[in-house]
Amino acid sequence: QVQLVESGGGLVQAGGSLRLSCAASRRTVSSYGMGWFRRTVGKEREFVAAIRRNRGGTYYADSVKGRFTISRDNAKNTVYLQMNSLKPEDTAVYYCAADTTGYGSSWLESAYDYWGQGTQVTVSS
């Protein structure tokens, strides 16, 4: 069983920055692929970023590439999402997810079998 807890969300002005954290169960960050997704009211949950378990390869949605950075600290068993140059369109509930199987595409929800409860990010104009 894997438990994930997100934190770091809040209200920020456009152009500002936030750093989200995902505290995971023992060895989760180092052993499994991890991802960030987000959901806006009225929209489907969409892929944001992912980091693979092996050599730490990262993947980003086109909408956030160059602005967001996913990283992990194995010692703290925590995954981060550094969000810079935030836009109002980034407003959403952000979810951390763990892929325990190692199969599937990291940009698809179906690849992940454990999810956090989400943290709200609101970007004002």
Side-chain angles (χ1 to χ4, degrees):
Q1 57 184 14
V2 176
Q3 291 185 308
L4 306 172
V5 181
E6 303 96 334
S7 63
L11 175 64
V12 64
Q13 293 184 346
S17 299
L18 283 175
R19 187 194 194 195
L20 305 184
S21 298
C22 174
S25 301
R26 180 180 296 178
R27 296 183 176 178
T28 298
V29 170
S30 61
S31 298
Y32 307 128
M34 304 294 295
W36 286 96
F37 287 73
R38 66 187 182 186
R39 174 180 287 166
T40 301
V41 175
K43 297 182 179 180
E44 295 292 316
R45 187 155 56 188
E46 64 178 350
F47 170 75
V48 176
I51 186 166
R52 304 310 300 168
R53 73 178 70 182
N54 295 321
R55 306 187 73 178
T58 57
Y59 306 86
Y60 298 93
D62 288 341
S63 60
V64 306
K65 189 174 297 183
R67 299 187 298 119
F68 291 11
T69 302
I70 186 172
S71 62
R72 64 187 173 200
D73 186 329
N74 292 337
K76 297 180 179 179
N77 204 26
T78 301
V79 174
Y80 303 96
L81 183 67
Q82 178 65 47
M83 306 185 294
N84 299 325
S85 301
L86 283 163
K87 305 175 181 180
E89 305 91 89
D90 296 319
T91 296
V93 176
Y94 284 72
Y95 299 87
C96 178
D99 170 15
T100 65
T101 68
Y103 297 96
S105 301
S106 61
W107 57 91
L108 298 177
E109 289 188 54
S110 59
Y112 301 88
D113 39 8
Y114 291 93
W115 296 80
Q117 295 182 332
T119 184
Q120 177 70 48
V121 171
T122 302
V123 184
S124 61
S125 301

